[in-house]
Amino acid sequence: MSREPGEQYRGRLAPSPTGLLHVGHARTFWTAQERAAARGGTLVLRNEDLDRSRCKPEFVAAMFEDLRWLGFRWQEGPDCGGPFGPYSQSERLEVYRAAFEQLKASGFVYLCTCSRQDVLRAVAAPHAGEDEPIYPGTCRPPAKMAPGRPASWRFRVPDGETLAFVDGRLGAQAFVAGRDFGDFVVWRHDDVPAYQLAVVVDDASMRITEVVRGEDLLRSTARQLLLYRALGLKPPEFYHCQLMTDDSGVRLAKRHDSLSLQKLRETGVRPEELREGWPA
Ligand SMILES: [Zn+2]
């Protein structure tokens, strides 16, 4: 995964307008911006608005406003264009579909009619901190799918294979397919690409050289490495940030309304006060 010498650094901010941005997201984005700036690189803003039921136009507007207020500047994005657009995921469906067709044609994916409840019922209690239960393989071919039920497409992981990468902050990482994560959805039953596929296709086609994001996505990086390989794409480097927690150690999430950038702004705090002590 080493980059070619002289290759220009390209980083990205990838907010999802499903709510107001909160200070936890902002701190991760700040690290992304600092790392791009330190390398004289380009920063891309990508609007991750695939979830049509949860993404709202007013959140998109608030997202731009909040990011600018806090001191973010990007060189490519939905508002300013650029050579690798469009930069809103909802406008990129053909690109995802082409990648999905490629996976299908190469036999990497299979149809699955399991609901979320089916998967939860079929597995033993998930271990604490896991991002999703390990898919028990119910629909792996050859298998009988439930007829007439909405079907998604899952990527079949190579059971037992270790996916290793060197994280820019945490060093050597390794996850075992089939043990640390199972077959994952790449195309949803409602005909929308799943996060894992969209993000890989976007980071590759936007020529991102380093992905900076929260450490809750470490395991997703292992999944995504499989997609890069299956699609014949070169993966970027990865830098996973520590997540902000509140005083009781609970992770900040979007539902912590009082920590949204808008609410904080209303209290009169200045951007540089808010950024005090953030790791560069
Ligand atoms: Zn299934």
Side-chain angles (χ1 to χ4, degrees):
M1 264 181 279
S2 64
R3 313 308 298 186
E4 278 142 50
E7 185 181 36
Q8 205 226 354
Y9 183 100
R10 290 176 58 84
R12 45 55 153 204
L13 313 173
S16 187
T18 55
L20 293 172
L21 282 180
H22 71 74
V23 68
H25 295 123
R27 191 173 78 160
T28 299
F29 294 155
W30 194 256
T31 303
Q33 173 159 293
E34 294 280 291
R35 289 182 69 80
R39 286 156 190 78
T42 298
L43 197 60
V44 174
L45 177 70
R46 185 168 72 227
N47 173 20
E48 299 209 331
D49 60 347
L50 271 182
D51 192 339
R52 304 317 284 274
S53 59
R54 292 171 63 222
C55 293
K56 300 210 165 64
E58 59 265 35
F59 291 141
V60 179
M63 175 175 97
F64 284 122
E65 197 185 320
D66 290 344
L67 288 171
R68 287 204 192 93
W69 171 76
L70 197 50
F72 286 99
R73 300 292 180 264
W74 50 92
Q75 289 75 51
E76 295 172 29
D79 56 332
C80 54
F84 303 108
Y87 294 94
S88 287
Q89 289 192 323
S90 59
E91 295 168 27
R92 300 177 57 77
L93 289 172
E94 336 64 282
V95 190
Y96 307 134
R97 199 174 290 280
F100 169 55
E101 292 300 335
Q102 195 185 332
L103 292 176
K104 224 157 64 169
S106 328
F108 283 107
V109 292
Y110 61 88
L111 273 169
C112 169
T113 50
C114 300
S115 67
R116 207 176 161 72
Q117 282 68 33
D118 292 334
V119 176
L120 285 170
R121 262 197 303 271
V123 295
H127 308 293
E130 266 174 19
D131 51 355
E132 66 175 52
I134 309 285
Y135 180 68
T138 319
C139 299
R140 265 193 180 189
K144 268 210 207 84
M145 292 186 313
R149 285 179 63 174
S152 55
W153 289 84
R154 278 185 195 272
F155 186 92
R156 184 169 185 156
V157 304
D159 286 341
E161 183 182 331
T162 299
L163 280 302
F165 60 97
V166 178
D167 182 79
R169 183 176 72 92
L170 297 162
Q173 301 292 310
F175 295 95
V176 178
R179 189 196 74 189
D180 296 324
F181 61 94
D183 296 353
F184 54 92
V185 173
V186 292
W187 203 267
R188 289 165 31 169
H189 63 80
D190 54 356
D191 204 28
V192 172
Y195 165 78
Q196 306 290 355
L197 180 64
V199 81
V200 162
V201 168
D202 285 348
D203 285 332
S205 65
M206 294 175 185
R207 318 273 170 93
I208 301 303
T209 61
E210 184 182 69
V211 167
V212 177
R213 59 187 175 197
E215 63 187 2
D216 54 327
L217 290 169
L218 271 170
R219 209 176 290 241
S220 278
T221 296
R223 295 182 180 97
Q224 290 169 21
L225 287 175
L226 288 172
L227 287 178
Y228 278 103
R229 188 171 73 191
L231 292 167
L233 300 169
K234 181 181 177 181
E237 299 193 62
F238 295 93
Y239 185 99
H240 290 85
C241 302
Q242 193 170 9
L243 297 171
M244 269 177 106
T245 52
D246 65 16
D247 294 338
S248 51
V250 175
R251 241 177 75 191
L252 299 184
K254 282 182 199 183
R255 46 195 162 276
H256 284 65
D257 251 14
S258 60
L259 293 169
S260 73
L261 292 182
Q262 282 204 350
K263 282 271 156 37
L264 289 165
R265 209 163 133 187
E266 283 163 19
T267 68
V269 69
R270 285 175 300 130
E272 51 277 20
E273 289 174 308
L274 205 53
R275 298 196 309 254
E276 217 162 277
W278 283 4

